[in-house]
Amino acid sequence: MNMLGIETSCDETAAAIVTDRKEIRASLVLSQIDEHRLYGGVVPEIAARSHIDHLDRLIGAALEEAGLASGDLDAVAATAGPGLIGAVMVGLTTGKAIAAVHDLPFVAVNHLEGHALSARLVEDLDYPYLLLLVSGGHCQLLAVEGVGAYRRLGTTIDDAVGEAFDKAAKLLGLGYPGGPAIEAYARDGDPAAIKLPRPLKGRAGCDFSFSGLKTALRQAVEATSGGKLAAETLTPAAQADFAASFQAAVGDVLIDRTEAGLRLFAEATGQAAPALVVAGGVAANTHLRERLGVLTGKYGVRLTLPPLALCTDNAAMIAWAGIERLGRGLRDGLDAAPRARWPLDANAAPPPGMGRPGRLGAKA
Ligand code: KG4
Ligand code: ZN
């Protein structure tokens, strides 16, 4: 079966063709970073318009790479949310149109489900497993018990971790996107140079919080420049120390919360987590990858880090989620609605202390 996957929920335009035998016949991702860089973050209106400009051609290129014509497709899956509503609509409507023209089954995929199942596309991985989803819009720990069976164990009460990296980089004058820049600068810095808090570390549950860390970083930068935020006065050595200290603090928090997540997984499912899967753009961070290796080693848990191209936003994961859903008889009508918000675990209560909805970043 050749499944066309389409992803346009944020600032990547992506199209892929994946088979039910786990073959990625094409997976193309067009980043809009250059169009948003000027604004220091993703501008929803620009994202939607850029998807319109590029998606048709990208789908054509994916078909060509796979050596297929559109009539050779067997099904279509498109992200229906969560994401920037205008951006989601572009891919969803395009997917529906292709399905309608060729009379194909259509699957409306939750972007988070795409991340949650992506590891199964490249590895022999059985349910259940613990998922640490760390991206620009999300920071969650989920028990993945099967297709459509997700139990949220913890989530961020304010910023997503990738968002925290991006904001920290902006504070330090390191540019956008921030994660890779912080990681690069941190290599030459002293992780103990700046004292920063570890929000929620050691607390009950496995929720996350990063906004206090960002504030503490801003205050520490201000303290070095006479009470004013002046990133341009920081020397490269100071930038490196700030970046290393920030990355170490985030790492401490993520490791502590993931360790708590392993305990909660056992309580919630009645069995120890056989595997920890890490997904989302922050999973690219080498410091984090190493520390997760140590943590899982301590508990004898298998660690699965999908290849980077599958960790960051892509359409192969959407096609794969579509294949998994279709394989269980789950398909959607052409009236499937785009959704700005769409939690994977509809039963999860908001964590205590969660800010009011609408305050999360563009990628939320
Ligand atoms: O999954 P992703 O590509 O997009 C979504 O948010 O869905 O994640 C992008 C996020 C950005 O916030 C970026 O700064 C962060 O992942 N990121 C990193 C690294 N590479 C990307 N954060 C820390 N270290 C990295 N090496
Ligand atoms: Zn994502």
Side-chain angles (χ1 to χ4, degrees), residues 7 9-10 12 82 111-112 114-115 133-138 279-281 311-314 317 363:
E7 157 63 38
S9 65
C10 193
E12 269 97 21
H111 177 86
L112 302 176
H115 279 302
L133 176 56
V134 278
S135 71
H138 304 281
C311 275
T312 53
D313 285 351
N314 66 88
M317 71 179 190
K363 289 204 168 193

mmCIF file of all heavy atoms in Angstrom, residues 7 9-10 12 82 111-112 114-115 133-138 279-281 311-314 317 363, ligand 2:
data_model
loop_
_atom_site.group_PDB
_atom_site.id
_atom_site.type_symbol
_atom_site.label_atom_id
_atom_site.label_comp_id
_atom_site.label_asym_id
_atom_site.label_seq_id
_atom_site.Cartn_x
_atom_site.Cartn_y
_atom_site.Cartn_z
ATOM 1 N N GLU A 7 2.038 17.063 5.709
ATOM 2 C CA GLU A 7 2.197 17.742 6.999
ATOM 3 C C GLU A 7 2.390 19.235 6.758
ATOM 4 O O GLU A 7 3.335 19.635 6.063
ATOM 5 C CB GLU A 7 3.408 17.136 7.735
ATOM 6 C CG GLU A 7 4.062 18.021 8.786
ATOM 7 C CD GLU A 7 3.159 18.386 9.950
ATOM 8 O OE1 GLU A 7 2.365 17.536 10.386
ATOM 9 O OE2 GLU A 7 3.248 19.536 10.418
ATOM 10 N N SER A 9 1.411 21.571 9.677
ATOM 11 C CA SER A 9 0.804 22.155 10.875
ATOM 12 C C SER A 9 1.555 23.362 11.422
ATOM 13 O O SER A 9 1.017 24.134 12.201
ATOM 14 C CB SER A 9 0.660 21.098 11.972
ATOM 15 O OG SER A 9 1.929 20.667 12.392
ATOM 16 N N CYS A 10 2.816 23.527 11.014
ATOM 17 C CA CYS A 10 3.549 24.697 11.511
ATOM 18 C C CYS A 10 4.380 25.305 10.398
ATOM 19 O O CYS A 10 3.833 25.757 9.404
ATOM 20 C CB CYS A 10 4.372 24.316 12.737
ATOM 21 S SG CYS A 10 4.967 25.786 13.588
ATOM 22 N N GLU A 12 6.922 23.767 8.597
ATOM 23 C CA GLU A 12 7.528 22.879 7.612
ATOM 24 C C GLU A 12 6.444 22.396 6.668
ATOM 25 O O GLU A 12 5.407 21.906 7.111
ATOM 26 C CB GLU A 12 8.161 21.641 8.283
ATOM 27 C CG GLU A 12 9.616 21.818 8.643
ATOM 28 C CD GLU A 12 9.810 22.207 10.090
ATOM 29 O OE1 GLU A 12 8.876 21.948 10.879
ATOM 30 O OE2 GLU A 12 10.863 22.777 10.418
ATOM 31 N N PRO A 82 -2.839 19.094 16.111
ATOM 32 C CA PRO A 82 -2.963 20.492 16.484
ATOM 33 C C PRO A 82 -1.907 21.323 15.771
ATOM 34 O O PRO A 82 -0.879 20.783 15.372
ATOM 35 C CB PRO A 82 -2.717 20.461 17.995
ATOM 36 C CG PRO A 82 -1.816 19.291 18.212
ATOM 37 C CD PRO A 82 -2.181 18.292 17.151
ATOM 38 N N HIS A 111 -1.119 15.341 14.629
ATOM 39 C CA HIS A 111 0.330 15.533 14.488
ATOM 40 C C HIS A 111 1.103 14.837 15.624
ATOM 41 O O HIS A 111 2.162 14.242 15.404
ATOM 42 C CB HIS A 111 0.602 17.042 14.498
ATOM 43 C CG HIS A 111 2.033 17.422 14.430
ATOM 44 N ND1 HIS A 111 2.722 17.551 13.248
ATOM 45 C CD2 HIS A 111 2.929 17.708 15.404
ATOM 46 C CE1 HIS A 111 3.978 17.896 13.498
ATOM 47 N NE2 HIS A 111 4.125 18.002 14.807
ATOM 48 N N LEU A 112 0.554 14.896 16.824
ATOM 49 C CA LEU A 112 1.230 14.290 17.978
ATOM 50 C C LEU A 112 1.246 12.771 17.859
ATOM 51 O O LEU A 112 2.183 12.105 18.298
ATOM 52 C CB LEU A 112 0.534 14.702 19.281
ATOM 53 C CG LEU A 112 0.456 16.204 19.515
ATOM 54 C CD1 LEU A 112 -0.338 16.506 20.774
ATOM 55 C CD2 LEU A 112 1.850 16.777 19.629
ATOM 56 N N GLY A 114 1.479 11.289 15.062
ATOM 57 C CA GLY A 114 2.577 11.073 14.113
ATOM 58 C C GLY A 114 3.896 10.941 14.863
ATOM 59 O O GLY A 114 4.653 9.982 14.665
ATOM 60 N N HIS A 115 4.177 11.901 15.759
ATOM 61 C CA HIS A 115 5.409 11.827 16.559
ATOM 62 C C HIS A 115 5.412 10.559 17.407
ATOM 63 O O HIS A 115 6.431 9.870 17.534
ATOM 64 C CB HIS A 115 5.515 13.035 17.489
ATOM 65 C CG HIS A 115 6.028 14.284 16.838
ATOM 66 N ND1 HIS A 115 7.247 14.350 16.205
ATOM 67 C CD2 HIS A 115 5.495 15.525 16.739
ATOM 68 C CE1 HIS A 115 7.439 15.581 15.744
ATOM 69 N NE2 HIS A 115 6.394 16.310 16.053
ATOM 70 N N LEU A 133 8.050 13.429 24.421
ATOM 71 C CA LEU A 133 7.892 14.268 23.232
ATOM 72 C C LEU A 133 8.383 15.669 23.548
ATOM 73 O O LEU A 133 7.795 16.368 24.381
ATOM 74 C CB LEU A 133 6.417 14.294 22.813
ATOM 75 C CG LEU A 133 6.058 15.196 21.637
ATOM 76 C CD1 LEU A 133 6.874 14.857 20.403
ATOM 77 C CD2 LEU A 133 4.572 15.088 21.322
ATOM 78 N N VAL A 134 9.488 16.044 22.947
ATOM 79 C CA VAL A 134 10.121 17.326 23.265
ATOM 80 C C VAL A 134 10.341 18.128 21.982
ATOM 81 O O VAL A 134 11.288 17.889 21.241
ATOM 82 C CB VAL A 134 11.466 17.124 24.005
ATOM 83 C CG1 VAL A 134 11.222 16.888 25.486
ATOM 84 C CG2 VAL A 134 12.280 15.962 23.439
ATOM 85 N N SER A 135 9.434 19.078 21.722
ATOM 86 C CA SER A 135 9.564 19.845 20.482
ATOM 87 C C SER A 135 9.356 21.321 20.763
ATOM 88 O O SER A 135 9.315 21.757 21.917
ATOM 89 C CB SER A 135 8.556 19.337 19.459
ATOM 90 O OG SER A 135 7.251 19.720 19.847
ATOM 91 N N GLY A 136 9.197 22.100 19.687
ATOM 92 C CA GLY A 136 8.992 23.533 19.855
ATOM 93 C C GLY A 136 7.626 23.852 20.437
ATOM 94 O O GLY A 136 7.425 24.892 21.053
ATOM 95 N N GLY A 137 6.675 22.956 20.261
ATOM 96 C CA GLY A 137 5.318 23.209 20.739
ATOM 97 C C GLY A 137 4.880 22.296 21.863
ATOM 98 O O GLY A 137 3.842 22.537 22.489
ATOM 99 N N HIS A 138 5.657 21.241 22.131
ATOM 100 C CA HIS A 138 5.178 20.246 23.083
ATOM 101 C C HIS A 138 6.272 19.756 24.010
ATOM 102 O O HIS A 138 7.434 19.667 23.632
ATOM 103 C CB HIS A 138 4.588 19.044 22.330
ATOM 104 C CG HIS A 138 3.503 19.463 21.399
ATOM 105 N ND1 HIS A 138 2.230 19.734 21.829
ATOM 106 C CD2 HIS A 138 3.515 19.728 20.079
ATOM 107 C CE1 HIS A 138 1.505 20.137 20.804
ATOM 108 N NE2 HIS A 138 2.256 20.144 19.727
ATOM 109 N N ALA A 279 10.989 11.760 20.917
ATOM 110 C CA ALA A 279 10.647 12.357 19.622
ATOM 111 C C ALA A 279 10.538 13.865 19.747
ATOM 112 O O ALA A 279 10.444 14.397 20.858
ATOM 113 C CB ALA A 279 9.330 11.778 19.118
ATOM 114 N N GLY A 280 10.563 14.557 18.621
ATOM 115 C CA GLY A 280 10.506 16.022 18.624
ATOM 116 C C GLY A 280 11.892 16.598 18.366
ATOM 117 O O GLY A 280 12.909 15.935 18.594
ATOM 118 N N GLY A 281 11.930 17.846 17.928
ATOM 119 C CA GLY A 281 13.183 18.467 17.508
ATOM 120 C C GLY A 281 14.260 18.517 18.579
ATOM 121 O O GLY A 281 15.456 18.418 18.279
ATOM 122 N N CYS A 311 12.568 12.687 13.813
ATOM 123 C CA CYS A 311 12.289 13.354 15.099
ATOM 124 C C CYS A 311 11.663 14.712 14.877
ATOM 125 O O CYS A 311 10.733 15.109 15.566
ATOM 126 C CB CYS A 311 13.589 13.566 15.875
ATOM 127 S SG CYS A 311 14.072 12.152 16.832
ATOM 128 N N THR A 312 12.207 15.458 13.912
ATOM 129 C CA THR A 312 11.654 16.779 13.643
ATOM 130 C C THR A 312 10.441 16.607 12.722
ATOM 131 O O THR A 312 10.174 15.514 12.235
ATOM 132 C CB THR A 312 12.718 17.674 12.974
ATOM 133 O OG1 THR A 312 13.227 16.975 11.857
ATOM 134 C CG2 THR A 312 13.856 17.954 13.919
ATOM 135 N N ASP A 313 9.716 17.702 12.493
ATOM 136 C CA ASP A 313 8.468 17.578 11.735
ATOM 137 C C ASP A 313 8.714 17.061 10.326
ATOM 138 O O ASP A 313 9.630 17.509 9.637
ATOM 139 C CB ASP A 313 7.764 18.936 11.690
ATOM 140 C CG ASP A 313 7.120 19.242 13.032
ATOM 141 O OD1 ASP A 313 7.088 18.336 13.891
ATOM 142 O OD2 ASP A 313 6.653 20.373 13.217
ATOM 143 N N ASN A 314 7.902 16.104 9.924
ATOM 144 C CA ASN A 314 8.059 15.456 8.619
ATOM 145 C C ASN A 314 6.723 14.816 8.253
ATOM 146 O O ASN A 314 5.818 14.712 9.095
ATOM 147 C CB ASN A 314 9.167 14.399 8.702
ATOM 148 C CG ASN A 314 8.804 13.250 9.619
ATOM 149 O OD1 ASN A 314 8.192 12.274 9.196
ATOM 150 N ND2 ASN A 314 9.109 13.371 10.910
ATOM 151 N N MET A 317 6.071 10.461 9.105
ATOM 152 C CA MET A 317 5.406 10.038 10.348
ATOM 153 C C MET A 317 3.885 10.163 10.224
ATOM 154 O O MET A 317 3.139 9.407 10.842
ATOM 155 C CB MET A 317 5.936 10.834 11.551
ATOM 156 C CG MET A 317 5.520 12.290 11.589
ATOM 157 S SD MET A 317 6.190 13.110 13.069
ATOM 158 C CE MET A 317 5.299 14.681 13.012
ATOM 159 N N LYS A 363 3.731 27.090 18.116
ATOM 160 C CA LYS A 363 3.699 25.688 17.735
ATOM 161 C C LYS A 363 2.711 24.882 18.562
ATOM 162 O O LYS A 363 2.460 23.727 18.265
ATOM 163 C CB LYS A 363 5.098 25.083 17.868
ATOM 164 C CG LYS A 363 6.025 25.607 16.795
ATOM 165 C CD LYS A 363 7.149 24.666 16.541
ATOM 166 C CE LYS A 363 7.894 25.069 15.267
ATOM 167 N NZ LYS A 363 8.775 24.023 14.833
HETATM 168 ZN ZN ZN B 2 6.066 18.368 15.719
#
